Amino acid sequence: MAAYIVRRLLLMIPTILGIMLVSFTIVQFAPGGPIERIIAQISGTEVSATARIGGTGGGDFSGGGAAVDVTAKYRGAQGLDPEFIAALEKQFGFDKPVHERFLLMVWNYARFDFGESYFRDVAVIDLILEKMPVSISLGLWTTLLTYLISIPLGVTKAVRDGSRFDVWTSGVIIVGYAIPGFLFAVLLIVLFAGGTFFDVFPLRGLTSENWEELSWAAKVGDYFWHLVLPIASMVIGAFATTSLLTKNSFLDEIKKQYVVTARAKGLSEREVLYGHVFRNAMLIIIAGFPGAFVGAFFTGSLLIETIFSLDGLGLLSYESIINRDYPVVFGTLYVFGLLGLVITLVSDLTYTWIDPRIDFETREV
């Protein structure tokens, strides 16, 4: 097992390099950029996605001589001092060749040095740490509640397949899956956050304004009080897929020969279900855990963070992409890329805990 873990850890290096290389290459051809934003602010015009005539940072901006008019590469830069534009390129690092900028980024990221945000004047790592509590809260509790609801519900539906309970819970699950999380969030706000009916839960933020003045127990209560609506909005669609997956996985295992044999030996249904079926049926559920966790931790929380005014990593990444704040974009991408790879490894190792018959040592990675 130790050799397998080492191989997987070593494979993370080319994987994360590939992710960063593809993303970095795409950015070179994406229109718009930080320099265009500054030019737009100076000229009083709004920067658009097509402001850049060439790809942002797509070549060596050092020029090499005064014959190159750097203002010609940027729409709206006419009339500005070419030396000013060149200084901007040097400030953002666009005066270096593409390969040099990429290698420098890789070297810095290997040391977890993500630099500073272009427009926030703060270190990227400090920004990530500042937004992390919101994303951890949303991702952790959403994933935990999803599995706590989905697994027992899926097992019960499998055991009572075709019953009235199975039919009406399937209807509820389908409706919950069909309703987008952000739409359900709006509905919850209207119903319970001072919209049209009740004013029970807070509308924004993760804590109250007087949180520092509260006692320890009151702080815990206030924290969960603020999380009720956003977590409910995220769980409503997430538990539907996992519930049906759990049910189908258990149904598939229940029909196998070893279950018939176990029953023939006189084992009770509970012993058959949790002593034999559960271990095998849970493998496919565990396989989906990394994607579910990362999705809830990052991309799945973007709209929810916006609706409930929760300043987390999802909203930070989205705003950074819109504003072409590349250090923040690549920094968050790198962090979540590593997070996804590590969680995938942990998920694979959990297989051996659920079913000791699985031996990764005999596999070729």
Side-chain angles (χ1 to χ4, degrees):
M1 182 58 67
Y4 172 77
I5 295 176
V6 172
R7 290 200 302 268
R8 286 292 298 271
L9 291 175
L10 292 176
L11 277 175
M12 289 182 184
I13 298 175
T15 303
I16 196 67
L17 282 176
I19 293 173
M20 301 306 297
L21 177 60
V22 171
S23 304
F24 185 84
T25 302
I26 292 175
V27 164
Q28 308 315 305
F29 297 98
I35 295 179
E36 287 83 348
R37 181 182 177 186
I38 293 179
I39 292 174
Q41 291 175 345
I42 294 175
S43 61
T45 60
E46 183 178 357
V47 66
S48 66
T50 57
R52 179 66 181 271
I53 295 177
T56 300
D60 183 355
F61 287 117
S62 58
V68 178
D69 183 6
V70 294
T71 63
K73 294 182 291 192
Y74 304 96
R75 180 179 299 175
Q78 287 76 10
L80 295 178
D81 188 353
E83 294 184 358
F84 172 73
I85 302 298
L88 284 179
E89 291 182 340
K90 184 176 182 179
Q91 175 183 344
F92 291 114
F94 293 155
D95 59 324
K96 299 181 178 66
V98 176
H99 68 278
E100 183 177 336
R101 286 189 281 116
F102 177 73
L103 292 177
L104 180 61
M105 181 184 71
V106 170
W107 168 247
N108 290 333
Y109 280 22
R111 298 177 290 122
F112 287 89
D113 178 10
F114 304 126
E116 292 190 356
S117 168
Y118 283 161
F119 306 110
R120 298 173 185 255
D121 195 26
V122 62
V124 173
I125 189 65
D126 292 336
L127 270 177
I128 293 176
L129 294 176
E130 177 186 345
K131 313 299 182 184
M132 191 74 77
V134 172
S135 293
I136 288 178
S137 297
L138 293 177
L140 178 63
W141 294 116
T142 298
T143 305
L144 181 62
L145 285 177
T146 297
Y147 276 78
L148 287 178
I149 295 173
S150 300
I151 293 177
L153 179 60
V155 173
T156 305
K157 286 174 63 63
V159 173
R160 303 173 63 178
D161 183 42
S163 66
R164 183 176 298 178
F165 172 82
D166 181 42
V167 172
W168 74 261
T169 52
S170 294
V172 173
I173 286 174
I174 292 173
V175 172
Y177 183 75
I179 300 177
F182 72 90
L183 187 60
F184 191 70
V186 174
L187 176 62
L188 290 178
I189 290 175
V190 172
L191 292 177
F192 302 110
T196 306
F197 297 92
F198 305 100
D199 188 5
V200 180
F201 298 101
L203 181 59
R204 58 184 300 148
L206 200 60
T207 56
S208 300
E209 294 181 359
N210 64 334
W211 192 79
E212 294 293 340
E213 303 172 2
L214 299 176
S215 63
W216 181 85
K219 287 182 178 180
V220 174
D222 182 74
Y223 167 76
F224 284 106
W225 182 48
H226 281 76
L227 280 177
V228 170
L229 295 187
I231 294 300
S233 304
M234 297 179 67
V235 167
I236 187 65
F239 89 93
T241 303
T242 311
S243 297
L244 293 178
L245 181 63
T246 303
K247 174 191 173 182
N248 294 333
S249 178
F250 270 79
L251 282 177
D252 184 60
E253 291 295 326
I254 288 174
K255 297 176 182 178
K256 292 184 177 180
Q257 183 61 42
Y258 74 89
V259 177
V260 177
T261 304
R263 287 171 176 166
K265 290 181 178 180
L267 296 180
S268 65
E269 285 297 317
R270 185 178 183 85
E271 290 174 327
V272 171
L273 184 64
Y274 293 101
H276 295 76
V277 176
F278 187 84
R279 182 177 62 184
N280 297 324
M282 283 302 297
L283 289 176
I284 191 172
I285 310 301
I286 294 173
F289 177 79
F293 181 79
V294 175
F297 190 69
F298 182 48
T299 56
S301 63
L302 171 58
L303 291 176
I304 302 302
E305 287 181 14
T306 304
I307 292 173
F308 291 99
S309 300
L310 299 171
D311 195 8
L313 286 173
L315 187 59
L316 171 66
S317 301
Y318 174 75
E319 291 177 346
S320 301
I321 293 173
I322 296 299
N323 295 326
R324 302 298 196 268
D325 196 346
Y326 295 140
V328 180
V329 172
F330 289 122
T332 53
L333 176 65
Y334 182 80
V335 169
F336 279 99
L338 283 180
L339 179 64
L341 292 173
V342 171
I343 290 179
T344 303
L345 175 59
V346 172
S347 176
D348 287 347
L349 296 179
T350 309
Y351 278 133
T352 61
W353 177 70
I354 297 294
D355 190 348
R357 295 172 300 175
I358 297 177
D359 184 12
F360 287 112
E361 291 286 358
T362 60
R363 291 181 53 200
E364 292 293 335
V365 181

